[in-house]
């Protein structure tokens, strides 16, 4: 293996030693298998290829100062994959089987978990796909659950520094009452054009408005949005937003830090009143926003004048990272230690 420069890792794919797989066939889940190959043998009529029967998760493992490897909110990811499976009629993998597979694949690839204080982590990607051949539009009768891992650096190359995003009205990430609240690939495919156009304009992501009325803040690129005002943590509620496990964790931390928490529709105009704003998710953790440009309305909403994160974002970021790396006690039961 070529020597990995841990502190210079991008958020990309690096091959590791093993992945793990479980097949659903004849109405039941099989045994957990270990695989060294990076490819899947697929029938050309598999439902994942034609009808979008595919869901995935993303979580991370962190090596602490004590050398122990910690996985963050393993059970929440297992339950969210079940919700995605119900949303597109796939077989649900039991929570204990999900947890068994994650622990197995991290242990097998232990040498790829980046060292403490390198700024990197081990990204864990569980994937569930419809394998059964169908020509009619109906669910498969066979599924493959697979997990691979890869060491990653920051999702945004700037790291924990404020960056700009732009509001898009031309594109929707997901439809109301559609698949926006579940983690399926189609939502991300739908975001590719808007995301590419945003980056061409010098922005890190596109900020979506609600797909029904275009009046309220929705998702921020591949992440949830939150803002701070008057000691209050404010995040959108919508029937087309993916429930972020990071956002859920930050809301709990904010409450315990003495902030009020509000989950509600956020009108675009309210952006002008916020002291801080950020996007959050497993990959980005917290990505503070320097400003939001509303290109259609020729307006700019600024949140950082000095190029530094706001005090509340910084406090939340440091607290969450301290729990993930084991620098502070996990009083919430969020951490699973790999034995």
């Amino acid at each position: 293996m070529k020597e990995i420069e841990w502190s210079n890792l991008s958020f990309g794919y690096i091959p590791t030693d093993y992945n793990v797989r479980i097949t659903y066939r004849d109405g039941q889940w099989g045994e957990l298998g270990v695989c060294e190959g990076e490819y899947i043998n697929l029938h050309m009529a598999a439902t994942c290829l034609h009808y979008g029967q595919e869901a995935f998760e993303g979580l991370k493992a962190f090596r602490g100062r004590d050398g122990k490897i910690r996985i963050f909110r393993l059970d929440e990811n297992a339950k969210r994959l079940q919700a995605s499976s119900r949303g597109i009629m796939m077989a649900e993998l039991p929570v204990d089987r999900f947890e068994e597979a994650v622990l197995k694949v991290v242990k097998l690839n232990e040498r790829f978990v980046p060292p403490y204080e390198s700024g990197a982590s081990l990204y864990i990607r569980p994937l569930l796909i419809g394998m059964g051949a169908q020509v009619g539009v109906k669910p498969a009768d066979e599924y493959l659950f697979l997990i691979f891992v890869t060491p990653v650096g920051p999702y945004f190359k700037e790291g924990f520094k404020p960056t700009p995003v732009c509001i898009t009205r031309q594109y929707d990430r997901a439809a109301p009452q559609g698949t926006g609240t579940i983690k399926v690939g189609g939502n991300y495919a739908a975001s590719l054009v808007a995301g590419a156009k945003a980056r061409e304009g010098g922005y890190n992501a596109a900020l979506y408005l609600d797909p029904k009325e275009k009046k309220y803040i929705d998702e921020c690129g591949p992440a949830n949005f939150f803002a701070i005002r008057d000691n209050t943590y404010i995040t959108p509620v919508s029937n087309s937003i993916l429930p972020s496990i990071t956002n859920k964790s930050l809301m709990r931390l904010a409450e315990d830090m003495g902030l009020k928490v509000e989950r509600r529709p956020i009108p675009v105009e309210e952006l002008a009143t916020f002291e801080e704003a950020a996007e959050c998710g497993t990959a980005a953790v917290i990505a503070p926003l320097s400003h939001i440009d509303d290109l259609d309305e020729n307006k700019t909403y600024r949140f950082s004048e000095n190029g530094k994160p706001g005090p509340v974002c910084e406090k939340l970021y440091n607290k969450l990272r301290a729990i993930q790396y084991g620098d502070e006690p996990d009083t919430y039961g969020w951490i699973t230690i790999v034995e």
Side-chain angles (χ1 to χ4, degrees), residues 103-284:
L103 289 168
K104 180 75 171 179
V105 75
V106 172
K107 187 67 177 176
L108 286 169
N109 294 287
E110 188 172 355
R111 71 191 185 101
F112 291 96
V113 182
Y116 178 73
E117 286 191 333
S118 63
S121 56
L122 187 73
Y123 188 74
I124 305 164
R125 171 52 58 86
L127 177 69
L128 180 60
I129 59 175
M131 298 285 283
Q134 295 284 3
V135 176
V137 183
K138 55 184 178 180
D141 55 6
E142 184 176 319
Y143 296 90
L144 174 67
F145 174 71
L146 178 152
I147 309 179
F148 68 84
V149 298
T150 189
V152 297
Y155 187 77
F156 295 120
K157 64 181 184 297
E158 297 85 359
F160 187 61
K161 292 180 181 178
T163 56
V165 300
C166 63
I167 291 173
T168 177
R169 289 179 175 80
Q170 292 176 281
Y171 302 97
D172 292 322
R173 172 187 155 272
Q177 308 298 335
T179 60
T181 57
I182 60 177
K183 199 169 178 67
V184 293
N187 298 338
Y188 295 82
S191 73
L192 291 176
V193 173
K197 287 183 178 293
R199 287 187 293 275
E200 286 170 9
Y203 302 97
N204 253 9
L207 177 61
Y208 295 93
L209 301 185
D210 76 283
K212 186 176 182 181
E213 298 181 277
K214 302 289 187 181
K215 291 181 179 179
Y216 303 97
I217 301 300
D218 212 75
E219 286 267 56
C220 191
N224 275 194
F225 173 89
F226 75 86
I228 306 297
R229 185 187 64 226
D230 298 332
N231 206 44
T232 303
Y233 182 105
I234 305 164
T235 193
V237 64
S238 160
N239 57 12
S240 58
I241 292 178
L242 179 73
S244 161
I245 294 167
T246 303
N247 197 5
K248 182 177 182 178
S249 305
L250 291 173
M251 283 188 270
R252 179 67 187 276
L253 292 179
E255 283 185 336
D256 289 353
M257 289 176 179
L259 276 74
K260 182 181 175 185
V261 172
E262 294 180 0
R263 285 189 72 231
R264 57 172 174 78
I266 302 175
V268 177
E269 309 80 58
E270 194 174 349
L271 290 173
T273 70
F274 294 142
E275 300 155 16
E276 301 177 43
E279 51 186 312
C280 63
T282 297

Side-chain angles (χ1 to χ4, degrees), residues 42-64:
L42 270 177
H43 192 286
M44 60 185 177
T47 60
C48 64
L49 299 177
H50 298 268
Y51 304 126
Q53 273 204 304
E54 177 275 345
F56 67 98
E57 276 299 318
L59 58 162
K60 286 179 176 177
F62 307 87
R63 193 183 297 276

Side-chain angles (χ1 to χ4, degrees), residues 31-77:
E31 295 300 312
L32 178 68
V34 176
C35 183
E36 296 181 30
E38 297 176 85
Y39 293 89
I40 300 168
N41 188 23
L42 270 177
H43 192 286
M44 60 185 177
T47 60
C48 64
L49 299 177
H50 298 268
Y51 304 126
Q53 273 204 304
E54 177 275 345
F56 67 98
E57 276 299 318
L59 58 162
K60 286 179 176 177
F62 307 87
R63 193 183 297 276
R65 188 191 301 270
D66 57 7
K68 293 180 179 179
I69 298 171
R70 293 167 172 82
I71 301 172
F72 185 67
R73 307 215 72 172
L74 181 52
D75 59 328
E76 288 291 330
N77 284 272

